[in-house]
Amino acid sequence: MKKLLTAAALVMALSACSGQQANTPAEPVNINSLGQSAITEIRAADPAATYPKRGKSIERTFVHQPPMIPHKAGYPITLKKNGCMSCHSPAKAKRMKATQIDPSHLLADAKLNNQYYNCTQCHTPQADNKTELVESDFSTQ
């Protein structure tokens, strides 16, 4: 009976997968659809981003906003290794003079809860860039 159910499930899975392929031919891509533009102006590179001085946090702009990261955030972040924890873990934060991660992100044994392993999903680096910003009417809506 178990083998019969397994075989039936396999047949159903294969038939479901085969129906996902499109029967219509793909539309040809118009290579000129993006237009042709030449580089008309050469300018200097934008100035390098400047981050707040060490020990100074960035003011939050709304209630319950995750804190901004006041430095570059190019550290490796995977399930097995989180570069942020090398400074912000409870054991190292005071010695590194860094903000300790919120206790809500930790398990009972003071290890990082894997639901919160991707720090940059909520916490983003914030720099004081001197470049011209794109206009937005977000705050007026």
Side-chain angles (χ1 to χ4, degrees), residues 122-138:
C122 299
H123 305 277
T124 57
Q126 185 66 42
D128 184 18
N129 294 325
K130 303 294 182 197
T131 59
E132 190 174 315
L133 300 176
V134 176
E135 286 194 33
S136 169
D137 60 354
F138 177 77

Side-chain angles (χ1 to χ4, degrees), residues 79-98:
L79 271 172
K80 296 195 185 279
K81 180 179 168 119
N82 184 320
C84 300
M85 294 298 286
S86 60
C87 294
H88 296 278
S89 68
K92 297 179 183 176
K94 190 171 185 178
R95 181 170 36 105
M96 298 298 290
K97 296 180 181 167

Side-chain angles (χ1 to χ4, degrees), residues 30-100:
N30 181 357
I31 60 171
N32 293 321
S33 65
L34 298 177
Q36 296 190 7
S37 60
I39 297 174
T40 58
E41 163 187 343
I42 297 175
R43 62 182 183 82
D46 293 333
T50 56
Y51 294 93
K53 292 181 179 174
R54 189 174 185 145
K56 188 168 183 172
S57 62
I58 299 169
E59 185 178 336
R60 298 181 195 191
T61 55
F62 58 91
V63 177
H64 302 299
Q65 175 187 1
M68 304 294 262
I69 302 172
H71 56 77
K72 292 181 185 175
Y75 303 105
I77 298 175
T78 65
L79 271 172
K80 296 195 185 279
K81 180 179 168 119
N82 184 320
C84 300
M85 294 298 286
S86 60
C87 294
H88 296 278
S89 68
K92 297 179 183 176
K94 190 171 185 178
R95 181 170 36 105
M96 298 298 290
K97 296 180 181 167
T99 304
Q100 179 179 325

Side-chain angles (χ1 to χ4, degrees), residues 100-108 111-116 123:
Q100 179 179 325
I101 69 166
D102 194 84
S104 66
H105 294 23
L106 299 173
L107 298 173
K111 290 190 179 183
L112 182 65
N113 183 342
N114 282 342
Q115 292 178 336
Y116 300 105
H123 305 277

